C-alpha cells in the first residue's frame, strides 16, 4: 500500500507522475539496444519507490495494494514514461502476466496475500509453463500434481523459465487428471520458489547472459488454497495468461522492441552521417511506422483489458508485430553499423549493445509462442481458416502417444 496519496485529478496526477519520473529515471537515448544483466536490484528499488509515491499498480484495487485509478491514469503514465528509461524490466513477467492473473482469477485471500507485495516489487513472480516436451503444445505437459490430504504434491520439470533464479513465487500449470483429453485435466497453482523441493538451474545464452532456467520439482507440497482458479480449469487460465504474455511482449514492458528504438536508430544514423542514404532513410521510416502501429494496437488491447475483458486473438497480432519489429530493428542497426556491429561489449558495459540486441532479436519470435503459432491463431480465429487437424482431440492424455 502506498504512503502517499496520488491525485485522482488527471492534471495533478500527470504533474506527480512527471515529478517522480524526472527524479528517478534517465532519459531514453543513451545506452544500448538491450538491458545488460538482470537489473533485479535496480527494479526492486525503483518499484518500491514507485509504490511509496502511490504510482504502482495504477488500475488495481487499493484494497489489494494498487492505486485504484482508471485506465486514463494508466495511459497518461504510459505516455509520460515513453521518453524515459524505467528500470523495471526485470518485473515484466511479474507485472505483465502474473499480477493480472492473480487479480482476475485469485480468491480474495490470494489477492490480499500476494498482490500488495507483487505490486510494490517486494516479491517477483515467474511463469512456469514450458517443458522439454511441451512448448507450443503446452497443453501436452507432463508435470503432475496429485492430491494428498490438504496438499498437492507436484513432480516434473519446466524449462525456459525466465527469471526463476531471482523470483520469489511462480505460477505453475500441472496435470491433475491424466484420464481426460489433454486440455481438460490441467490446473494452475502458486508455488514458493524458495522451497527446497524446487531446484532452479540457470541456462547460459549465446550472449553470455543467464535469463532463463530449467526448474525441477521433486515432491513439492503445495497448500490446497494455492490452487489458482478452479480444479481442472487450468487450460482456460493458461490461455488468459498466454494472452497477457503476448500483449506484454507485443506492446508493453516485456517488449524487446521498445517504442524508443527507431528514435535511437535515427540518432545513430545521424552520428554515423548516414541520414542521406535512401536505403537507410527507408528502413528508419518503416521502423517508425511499425512502432506507431504497435502503439495503436497496444492502446486498443489495453482498453479491452481495462474494460475487464481477457484479450483475444488481437494479442497474437500484437505479439507477432513485436517479433517482426525486433527483427527489423536488428537488420537496420546492423546495416547502419556494418562490420562494427559485431563489436562486443563486456557485460555491465555502458556503451551501445546492438550486437547483443542482434543476438536476442530471434527470441522475440519464440518466447510467448512462436511466430508460426501466432499465424495459426490469426488464421483460425481472425481470418476464419480451417482449424489444424487434431486426431487426438477426444483421447485421454494418458493414451496419447508421446516420446
Ligand atoms: C527468451 C525466452 C523466454 C521464455 N520464457 C518463458 C517463461 O518464462 N516461461 C515459460 O513457461 N516459457 C518460456 N519460454 C518458452 C516459450 O514459450 C517456448 O519456447 C515456445 O512456446 C516454443 O516452444 P518450444 O521451444 O518447445 O518449441 P516447439 O513447440 O518444439 O516448436 C519447434 C518449432 O515447431 C514449430 N511449430 C510447433 N507447433 C507448430 C504448429 N502447430 N504449426 C506450425 N509450426 C509449429 C514452432 O513454430 C517452432 O518453429 C521462453 C522462450 C524464450 C525464447
Amino acid at each position: 500500500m502506498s504512503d502517499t496519496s496520488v491525485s485522482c485529478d488527471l492534471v495533478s496526477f500527470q504533474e506527480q507522475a512527471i515529478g517522480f519520473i524526472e527524479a528517478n529515471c534517465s532519459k531514453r537515448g543513451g545506452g544500448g539496444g538491450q538491458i545488460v544483466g538482470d537489473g533485479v536490484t535496480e527494479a526492486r528499488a525503483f518499484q518500491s519507490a514507485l509504490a511509496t509515491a502511490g504510482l504502482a499498480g495504477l488500475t488495481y484495487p487499493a484494497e489489494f495494494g494498487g492505486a485504484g485509478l482508471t485506465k486514463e491514469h494508466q495511459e497518461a503514465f504510459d505516455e509520460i514514461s515513453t521518453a524515459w528509461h524505467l528500470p523495471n524490466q526485470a518485473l515484466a513477467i511479474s507485472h505483465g502476466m502474473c499480477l493480472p492473473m492473480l487479480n482476475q482469477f485469485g480468491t480474495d485471500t490470494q489477492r490480499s496475500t500476494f498482490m500488495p507485495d507483487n505490486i510494490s516489487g517486494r516479491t517477483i513472480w515467474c511463469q512456469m509453463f514450458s517443458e522439454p516436451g511441451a512448448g507450443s503444445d503446452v497443453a501436452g505437459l507432463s508435470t503432475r500434481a496429485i492430491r494428498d490430504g490438504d496438499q498437492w504434491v507436484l513432480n516434473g520439470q519446466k524449462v525456459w523459465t525466465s527469471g526463476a533464479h531471482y523470483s520469489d513465487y511462480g505460477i505453475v500449470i500441472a496435470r491433475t487428471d491424466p484420464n481426460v483429453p489433454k486440455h481438460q485435466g490441467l490446473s494452475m497453482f502458486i508455488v514458493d520458489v524458495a522451497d527446497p523441493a524446487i531446484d532452479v538451474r540457470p541456462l547460459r545464452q549465446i550472449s553470455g547472459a543467464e535469463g532463463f532456467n530449467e526448474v525441477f520439482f521433486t515432491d513439492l507440497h503445495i497448500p490446497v488454497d494455492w490452487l489458482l482458479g478452479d480444479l481442472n480449469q487450468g487450460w482456460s487460465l493458461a490461455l488468459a495468461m498466454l494472452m497477457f504474455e503476448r500483449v506484454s511482449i507485443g506492446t508493453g514492458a516485456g517488449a524487446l522492441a521498445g517504442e524508443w528504438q527507431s528514435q535511437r536508430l535515427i540518432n545513430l544514423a545521424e552520428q554515423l552521417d548516414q541520414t542521406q542514404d535512401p536505403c537507410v532513410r527507408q528502413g528508419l521510416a518503416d521502423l517508425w511506422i511499425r512502432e506507431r502501429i504497435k502503439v495503436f494496437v497496444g492502446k486498443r488491447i489495453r482498453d479491452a483489458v481495462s474494460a475487464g475483458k481477457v484479450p483475444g486473438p488481437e494479442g497474437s497480432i500484437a505479439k507477432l508485430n513485436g517479433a517482426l519489429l525486433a527483427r527489423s530493428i536488428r537488420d537496420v542497426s546492423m546495416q547502419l553499423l556494418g562490420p562494427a556491429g559485431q563489436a562486443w561489449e563486456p557485460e555491465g558495459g555502458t556503451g551501445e549493445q546492438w550486437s547483443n540486441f542482434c543476438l536476442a532479436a530471434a527470441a522475440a519470435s519464440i518466447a510467448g509462442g512462436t511466430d508460426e503459432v501466432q499465424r495459426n491463431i490469426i488464421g483460425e480465429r481472425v481470418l476464419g481458416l480451417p482449424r489444424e487437424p487434431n486426431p487426438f482431440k477426444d483421447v485421454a492424455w494418458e493414451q496419447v502417444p508421446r516420446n
Side-chain angles (χ1 to χ4, degrees):
M1 201 76 73
S2 66
D3 298 341
T4 315
S5 64
V6 152
S7 177
C8 292
D9 169 67
L10 211 48
V11 176
S12 312
F13 169 82
Q14 282 167 329
E15 283 167 8
Q16 281 173 284
I18 289 169
F20 178 86
I21 287 179
E22 283 180 351
N24 291 280
C25 305
S26 55
K27 274 267 180 196
R28 290 202 190 280
Q34 196 196 355
I35 283 217
V36 179
D38 55 28
V40 177
T41 310
E42 204 186 7
R44 282 192 198 265
F46 173 79
Q47 194 63 25
S48 166
L50 197 68
T52 302
L55 292 166
L58 289 178
T59 57
Y60 291 99
E63 61 181 311
F64 300 128
L69 295 172
T70 66
K71 72 177 170 61
E72 282 76 22
H73 292 86
Q74 183 69 59
E75 278 170 9
F77 188 89
D78 292 346
E79 189 72 35
I80 293 162
S81 51
T82 303
W84 296 83
H85 167 67
L86 272 53
N88 59 358
Q89 204 173 344
L91 305 176
I93 290 176
S94 198
H95 285 168
M97 294 151 59
C98 300
L99 179 57
M101 289 298 290
L102 287 172
N103 186 49
Q104 190 151 339
F105 299 102
T107 60
D108 279 355
T109 308
Q110 289 170 343
R111 293 165 92 197
S112 56
T113 305
F114 296 116
M115 283 178 60
D117 282 351
N118 174 306
I119 288 173
S120 67
R122 200 190 301 267
T123 57
I124 300 182
W125 290 58
C126 62
Q127 178 210 33
M128 297 166 155
F129 275 24
S130 305
E131 299 185 1
S136 301
D137 179 24
V138 78
L141 60 85
S142 305
T143 294
R144 285 293 311 275
I146 296 175
R147 180 81 184 248
D148 181 12
D150 59 357
Q151 299 199 315
W152 287 91
V153 181
L154 193 81
N155 280 285
Q157 185 200 340
K158 300 290 174 181
V159 73
W160 292 105
T161 316
S162 302
H165 53 307
Y166 54 75
S167 290
D168 305 284
Y169 291 96
I171 292 185
V172 67
I173 182 155
R175 189 161 303 283
T176 37
D177 185 352
N179 299 310
V180 290
K182 62 181 178 182
H183 294 99
Q184 294 170 27
L186 300 170
S187 302
M188 205 171 262
F189 299 91
I190 295 165
V191 295
D192 177 354
V193 181
D195 192 302
I198 302 183
D199 180 12
V200 176
R201 299 184 197 167
L203 293 167
R204 187 168 283 269
Q205 297 145 224
I206 191 172
S207 63
E210 290 173 351
F212 38 76
N213 304 270
E214 292 179 299
V215 180
F216 296 85
F217 306 98
T218 309
D219 290 337
L220 171 68
H221 287 72
I222 308 172
V224 279
D225 52 5
W226 283 20
L227 173 75
L228 190 60
D230 293 330
L231 183 62
N232 293 328
Q233 294 304 309
W235 182 242
S236 54
L237 272 74
L239 285 180
M241 194 163 180
L242 288 169
M243 281 304 164
F244 287 130
E245 176 172 21
R246 282 160 200 167
V247 173
S248 174
I249 293 175
T251 68
L256 178 64
E259 198 197 334
W260 62 94
Q261 301 288 3
S262 64
Q263 186 54 52
R264 187 180 276 163
L265 283 170
I266 291 167
N267 297 346
L268 185 64
E270 282 168 354
Q271 278 168 28
L272 297 172
D273 201 18
Q274 291 191 33
T275 49
Q276 297 311 311
D277 181 324
C279 293
V280 168
R281 294 174 74 87
Q282 193 172 340
L284 291 172
D286 180 61
L287 272 188
W288 193 89
I289 292 166
R290 283 173 186 270
E291 285 187 345
R292 291 289 105 190
I293 293 170
K294 192 184 81 169
V295 172
F296 295 137
V297 174
K299 277 194 173 145
R300 186 173 156 190
I301 295 169
R302 269 193 286 268
D303 276 357
V305 173
S306 305
K309 294 182 195 151
V310 171
E314 61 270 31
S316 294
I317 296 173
K319 210 267 127 174
L320 182 60
N321 185 47
L324 298 177
L325 187 55
R327 285 199 246 161
S328 302
I329 291 166
R330 174 197 63 193
D331 295 345
V332 172
S333 65
M334 289 301 118
Q335 184 189 354
L336 279 171
L337 288 163
Q342 297 173 49
W344 195 265
E345 174 111 7
E347 224 173 283
T350 52
E352 294 289 349
Q353 291 287 321
W354 293 110
S355 51
N356 220 327
F357 187 99
C358 176
L359 295 176
S365 287
I366 304 171
T370 63
D371 288 359
E372 291 77 15
V373 167
Q374 306 315 316
R375 288 183 203 278
N376 280 351
I377 294 170
I378 294 165
E380 291 172 12
R381 294 181 55 196
V382 179
L383 304 176
L385 297 174
R387 295 185 75 85
E388 272 195 271
N390 180 2
F392 301 110
K393 187 166 176 285
D394 298 317
V395 178
W397 176 81
E398 214 154 43
Q399 309 299 325
V400 176
R402 64 180 66 83
N403 292 331

